[in-house]
Amino acid sequence: MRNVITYLLMVRVDSASMSGLHLSRGWLSDACVLANQELVSGRSLVLCCATVIVLCATVIATMLTLHFTKDILPDSVNNDFQNINKFNEPQFMNLIEIIFQFLLEPKETERFMQQLSAFAGEHGMSPGPLKNLMKSVLMVPQGALKKSLTAQQVKEDLLTLGLNEDKAAHFSKQWGDHSAVLSRRAIGQTLMVNQLVDMEWKFGVTVGTSEIQKVGNISLQLKLVIRKGSSTENVYMELTLPQFYNFLHELERAKTSMDCFS
Amino acid sequence: MAAPFDEQFFVSLELLLKSPSKDALRELFSQSYRQVATEGGRLAQRTAEDLDIPFAQAQQLLQCLHSLAHHVVFRGLTRPQQIQDLFPASFHASLKNLITKILLELSPAWRSEAIQTHISLPQLKAFDWRVDMVTSSDSVSRMAVPSCLLSLQLGEDRVVVESSRETLDTMLDGLGRLRQQLALVAGK
């Protein structure tokens, strides 16, 4: 009987993720056949197995409660962090420096790859596995940035993932030091439509026109530079004085409204 | 713009003596100001009928009225004497005074219309704004960042522009300095 239950549980674990209790028809029919063979009720057997599955899932979920993600991570991530524990302190600090340099300038992927290759060369390891290792490590700061985690939470996550105390403390300290800059960068990346990039103005007096020889109007000319996709567009406009004062008044009201909400 | 007026010009103007009333004359000046004489086929036809003159003469008359009105607006003639000095001494005195009076009455409106419609960059006709609070994005799942949308109606086109708080502050800073400069100029 124990073998029956073990067999059913192994099939269940292999076939699907533990996070759902989806019991496939195939599994249910296997359970019924085996129940008949063992002369027990099929329903009892299924209920028993389902209970065990739920308990296992709860235990696993509790063990791997992470702040930076709610997803179940593959086993390779745990292995990667165990491998990182094998680096000595100078190596680890060097690696962390490379990682944070990349996080602060994420467009510099070429430089990041070159630095990792150089690091691998210096310490006699192959670059391929090192890069895979870094992929796992980068998940933590990238997730932490999304969730705006504190240094303490990052440290807890690293310890949960199997990194040793010293390394986790160093990493989380670096995180704490750089988090303000990284957050500002992330916020700055927020999508903006027709973003206003620059404004220039000049004001002058219209001296004469083809209709009137002597005129004396003051007019203000504005040029707004707007980012549209990857290029910029200039928008030119002219305002009379009353329009300018009205424009300024409305902008001040908009600013007051913005200040209220922060 | 203002060509010197020759004798033929004033001969044409004297045709106005045939006008039925002062109001009709005023109306004629008003309509001829806007229209270029060569286009005013219908107006010329009506004028020819009202004044009982040939079509060609009516067209020439309208051309003269148009030129005279534009000359008065261009030079900014605001005193009666300035306008009367344009006419030769032999010109019909009452007609001269009537024309002067009508031109002085209509030229301020023509002048402001010319100022309104002179060439310029697209005028800002209307302006609306909206302040949003960005609560989430693909790079940060929880945030509270205000953002401002400005809608500018420029002539026929409408442009919507988004700006962050810092950009809006910088813009206001610049425009505030402009206001100070304007106040200085006005004070002088």
Side-chain angles (χ1 to χ4, degrees):
Chain A
M1 185 56 173
R2 199 170 39 182
N3 290 339
V4 165
I5 294 180
T6 312
Y7 166 74
L8 284 172
L9 287 175
M10 292 303 293
V11 167
R12 177 69 185 84
V13 164
D14 278 344
S15 68
S17 142
M18 291 286 278
S19 60
L21 263 190
H22 175 72
L23 298 173
S24 68
R25 270 195 194 165
W27 187 88
L28 284 168
S29 72
D30 281 348
C32 288
V33 163
L34 288 167
N36 275 337
Q37 282 177 359
E38 296 292 321
L39 300 176
V40 296
S41 144
R43 189 185 290 182
S44 313
L45 185 58
V46 166
L47 271 172
C48 173
C49 292
T51 314
V52 173
I53 289 166
V54 167
L55 279 171
C56 289
T58 315
V59 165
I60 290 167
T62 319
M63 277 163 51
L64 282 186
T65 304
L66 293 162
H67 297 293
F68 79 90
T69 182
K70 293 279 171 267
D71 298 333
I72 303 286
L73 300 174
D75 290 337
S76 56
V77 174
N78 270 6
N79 293 339
D80 288 337
F81 277 92
Q82 294 304 329
N83 287 335
I84 291 170
N85 280 333
K86 294 177 190 160
F87 287 119
N88 61 36
E89 201 179 315
Q91 286 172 336
F92 182 72
M93 286 172 70
N94 192 2
L95 213 51
I96 295 304
E97 201 186 307
I98 295 173
I99 287 174
F100 274 91
Q101 229 183 358
F102 174 61
L103 287 172
L104 289 165
E105 290 168 314
K107 291 203 166 84
E108 301 286 338
T109 46
E110 280 295 321
R111 186 185 70 187
F112 179 56
M113 290 295 154
Q114 277 166 9
Q115 283 173 328
L116 285 181
S117 301
F119 180 90
E122 263 174 50
H123 302 282
M125 43 184 96
S126 31
L130 179 66
K131 285 172 187 168
N132 287 337
L133 219 68
M134 288 301 106
K135 268 195 209 139
S136 296
V137 174
L138 278 172
M139 280 168 60
V140 177
Q142 283 167 349
L145 202 55
K146 250 197 187 153
K147 307 260 170 137
S148 309
L149 299 183
T150 61
Q152 181 58 29
Q153 286 170 317
V154 167
K155 185 175 169 192
E156 282 169 14
D157 278 354
L158 290 169
L159 290 172
T160 309
L161 288 166
L163 201 60
N164 66 31
E165 174 77 33
D166 294 337
K167 294 190 166 67
H170 179 76
F171 192 105
S172 60
K173 183 175 178 303
Q174 289 293 308
W175 173 259
D177 293 343
H178 291 105
S179 65
V181 176
L182 289 170
S183 304
R184 260 202 301 279
R185 260 211 85 260
I187 287 172
Q189 272 181 320
T190 309
L191 174 70
M192 280 192 115
V193 177
N194 283 1
Q195 185 185 8
L196 179 63
V197 171
D198 194 15
M199 180 186 82
E200 290 176 23
W201 55 262
K202 67 178 177 192
F203 81 88
V205 178
T206 305
V207 174
T209 73
S210 52
E211 296 300 309
I212 304 172
Q213 194 182 32
K214 285 185 200 162
V215 179
N217 305 351
I218 298 180
S219 67
L220 169 71
Q221 290 180 357
L222 277 185
K223 167 182 154 194
L224 300 178
V225 182
I226 294 171
R227 181 166 293 131
K228 285 196 165 190
S230 51
S231 61
T232 56
E233 184 186 309
N234 298 335
V235 175
Y236 298 92
M237 67 188 84
E238 195 167 303
L239 288 78
T240 60
L241 271 191
Q243 283 171 338
F244 165 68
Y245 285 118
N246 185 39
F247 182 65
L248 194 54
H249 176 65
E250 290 298 320
L251 280 182
E252 280 170 348
R253 283 175 76 198
K255 177 171 161 17
T256 311
S257 179
M258 275 183 126
D259 288 342
C260 276
F261 290 111
S262 46
Chain B
M1 180 68 206
F5 301 126
D6 59 11
E7 209 182 293
Q8 186 54 40
F9 183 91
F10 294 103
V11 165
S12 291
L13 280 186
E14 285 197 332
L15 289 169
L16 290 173
L17 286 167
K18 291 185 175 190
S19 175
S21 70
K22 290 180 187 173
D23 288 335
L25 196 56
R26 184 181 291 112
E27 186 58 31
L28 201 58
F29 265 101
S30 184
Q31 292 200 6
S32 65
Y33 177 82
R34 280 177 189 84
Q35 290 190 17
V36 174
T38 49
E39 286 173 7
R42 266 180 306 159
L43 182 62
Q45 187 64 35
R46 240 190 2 255
T47 309
E49 283 163 15
D50 289 345
L51 299 181
D52 194 24
I53 52 176
F55 182 78
Q57 281 189 342
Q59 276 190 318
Q60 198 177 6
L61 173 61
L62 288 173
Q63 176 89 33
C64 293
L65 293 180
H66 183 84
S67 302
L68 184 62
H70 277 263
H71 179 87
V72 167
V73 170
F74 183 74
R75 295 277 178 206
L77 305 181
T78 50
R79 284 178 287 122
Q81 194 56 48
Q82 287 172 316
I83 301 177
Q84 283 166 359
D85 286 347
L86 294 172
F87 292 82
S90 58
F91 195 82
H92 192 285
S94 309
L95 183 61
K96 179 170 69 177
N97 292 336
L98 182 59
I99 291 174
T100 305
K101 187 166 160 244
I102 290 172
L103 286 172
L104 285 176
E105 199 182 303
L106 294 174
S107 62
W110 289 335
R111 194 185 156 88
S112 19
E113 190 185 314
I115 288 174
Q116 299 269 336
T117 55
H118 72 70
I119 53 166
S120 74
L121 292 176
Q123 289 270 332
L124 180 66
K125 293 230 165 67
F127 170 64
D128 293 311
W129 58 265
R130 179 177 111 181
V131 167
D132 288 341
M133 184 62 80
V134 181
T135 52
S136 178
S137 78
D138 59 328
S139 42
V140 181
S141 58
R142 274 222 236 140
M143 55 203 265
V145 175
S147 164
C148 182
L149 282 176
L150 307 171
S151 162
L152 307 154
Q153 181 76 36
L154 305 172
E156 296 299 321
D157 304 319
R158 197 164 144 255
V159 177
V160 181
V161 165
E162 185 171 350
S163 79
S164 64
R165 192 149 70 128
E166 291 76 21
T167 318
L168 191 63
D169 283 346
T170 311
M171 198 156 80
L172 273 174
D173 204 32
L175 293 177
R177 265 185 276 133
L178 174 57
R179 181 168 50 187
Q180 283 171 359
Q181 289 215 8
L182 284 170
L184 268 174
V185 166
K188 277 184 191 163

